[in-house]
Amino acid sequence: DDGDPDIRSRWVGRDFMGKDNDRDDLFAATPPLEGKKGLIALAACQKGVDPTKLKKLGFVDIRKAYFHAKVKRLIYVELPPEFLEPHEVGKVCGKLNFSLYGTRDAASNWEECYAEFLISVGFEQGLSSPCMFYHPVREISTVVHGDDFTILGDELELDWFRRKISDRYEVKFRGRIGPGDDDDKSIRILNRIVTWDSDGINYEADQRHAEII
């Protein structure tokens, strides 16, 4: 908002629909909000658990997520003027090797990319939602919303996940909330505030929605 601006910019393409308007393989799923709420509920219901096995909530963002996903179509793009010499502007194009924000199947390509990664390190993909995953050996649950990963696991397993995902992608570790003195206590996820305090875990609605109401 005006008082606390969050300005982001990136190169975005404009992909015009053509003869393939009716394609049904460009869809990318998003998890139900109950998916993340479920992880929060599981984290809150651990009374009497061995402190060394206590599960915490980790939050990871993938930087420039779509740029990690290979393209599946032949796509040429007009390059931004700042990439070119003055005499080349409007005359030189580029062939995409990886997905570009704004192209119609970029989100779908990214979904397949991160799913392949998670399955390769032992996760099983959910049946109710393809954005929900569980590692049966390490007992880690994760919900993926675009480039945001919310992970539930104990300290050692969250460290393991952090190493694995860092080996594959450029990532930003936004925080890890838990009951310990060294744990973060509050974090913003999808414009909602999740706070872990002595009474449990509080989940605050989107502040912009509250302002509208």
Side-chain angles (χ1 to χ4, degrees), residues 95-128:
K95 177 185 176 183
L96 290 182
N97 293 321
F98 293 87
S99 297
L100 176 64
Y101 288 85
T103 53
R104 296 169 62 204
D105 55 351
S108 175
N109 294 345
W110 165 239
E111 181 181 289
E112 181 175 317
C113 179
Y114 74 69
E116 288 179 352
F117 159 70
L118 290 173
I119 292 170
S120 73
V121 296
F123 282 87
E124 295 178 355
Q125 195 166 19
L127 298 178
S128 62

Side-chain angles (χ1 to χ4, degrees), residues 21 49 172:
N21 292 355
V49 174
K172 175 183 178 182

Side-chain angles (χ1 to χ4, degrees), residues 126-143:
L127 298 178
S128 62
S129 170
C131 307
M132 302 169 67
F133 296 82
Y134 179 70
H135 199 301
V137 176
R138 297 183 176 272
E139 298 184 351
I140 309 173
S141 301
T142 185
V143 175

